[in-house]
Amino acid sequence: MSHFAAIARVPGDPILGLLDAYRADPNPAKVDLGVGVYKDASGLTPILRAVKLAEQRLVDGETTKTYIGGHGAPEFGERLLQLVLGEHNALLGEQLAGATQTPGGTGALRLAGEFIARNLPGRSIWLSDPTWPIHETLFAACGLRVEHYPYVGADNRLNVDAMLDALQRVPAGDVVLLHACCHNPTGFDLSADDWQRVLAVVKARELLPLVDFAYQGFGDGLEQDAFAVRLFASELPELLVTSSCSKNFGLYRERTGALIVRADSANKLVDVRSQLALLARGLWSTPPSHGAAVVAEILGDAELKALWTAEVDAMRQRVANLRAGLVEALRPHGLSEHFVHVAQQRGMFSYTGLTAEQVTRLREEFSVYLVNSGRASVAGMAEDRLEYLAAAIARVCQD
Ligand code: LMR
């Protein structure tokens, strides 16, 4: 008898699978715009200088490798809360918000999904259409009913009215997932006014927001990008936020993130966190230490924090320049107006509007790798490859 005979093969991950295909491609002209990682002009995903310095200190100063607790390292939690909610946020002093360290932002989403499924039975989770494809599978794997509200339509434009209209019909108590900034996959973000309107609907419908905050610093700035999270945390008694240190600290493979809970009393926060620790124990027991120790070291040291802030600012500015550069490179092909949205979107990604067929041609004929949805990781572009990229896009658009 074969135990595995009935096991069927499933397709590779829509995003990580591209990484394997790109690495196996022998074409020296290949361009990787698949997975959302920042690359410098030479195509390298650098270790930030602030991270290197913090790591050196840790190597010298670390005295033990024993477990950190179920909620992770307390100094990481405290400093991350300040970064996300603001240094002087009264919620912190009043013990109304807490962070549970997780393996990356994906771990935080999984923990949130498990918490909702087990502790808030009967609630559906509402995702933007489109959203990060892993949101869809991850929450379904938690056993949650997954529903959608419109966000960007077939015309590749943000439709806030359609979004609000749909949210107004969401059953009271349901969970709505919102992207704090740098919407993945589209790059279309809500304005401050839009957020106020979403907040009004969330209040009126008594929804529980789960805010995915994976790109702090890549939109308009570390403080500016926290606008929606801080607004919701101050206006709502209860809130879930997932925070990731993968992109802004460049700690991708160290798996560093947190699930942040805002509760309406210090006592209730302890109750909720006790459930999170229990769930985390069954998922990963205790979180990995290294990345969180690096983040805590950087955020706890004024000099390292200033260096890190400057590095995040430089990455953000360079991605913005690449956006503008691609639109310029498309000008000689008569396509700059058609792709003007690339320069207007925020964060690492652009929903280009390219069709799945065009994406396939880009991959097969030009070794340019994008997600099938037409999402391009602008953060993976290089200044000296923009002309090649623009020519390839022009070919698949005009043929
Ligand atoms: C992405 O969307 O490319 C990133 O969030 C990386 C990932 O884990 O998919």
Side-chain angles (χ1 to χ4, degrees), residues 68-112:
I68 48 176
H71 292 291
E75 60 277 13
F76 166 77
E78 281 159 27
R79 292 169 194 168
L80 190 77
L81 279 171
Q82 290 177 1
L83 180 70
V84 170
L85 294 178
E87 221 166 313
H88 305 294
N89 195 315
L91 295 173
L92 304 181
E94 292 162 22
Q95 313 288 317
L96 295 178
T100 297
Q101 187 184 319
T102 56
T106 308
L109 289 163
R110 182 71 193 221
L111 186 58

Side-chain angles (χ1 to χ4, degrees), residues 7 122 152 338-339:
I7 308 291
V152 167
H338 187 72
F339 285 100

Side-chain angles (χ1 to χ4, degrees), residues 134-174:
I134 315 310
H135 284 149
E136 310 275 357
T137 47
L138 182 152
F139 293 118
C142 295
L144 290 172
R145 199 166 49 241
V146 176
E147 307 275 6
H148 298 93
Y149 59 86
Y151 193 75
V152 167
D155 59 355
N156 203 21
R157 279 169 206 267
L158 175 63
N159 190 340
V160 183
D161 289 335
M163 172 185 180
L164 291 166
D165 195 47
L167 291 182
Q168 257 143 12
R169 285 178 275 114
V170 170
D174 274 3

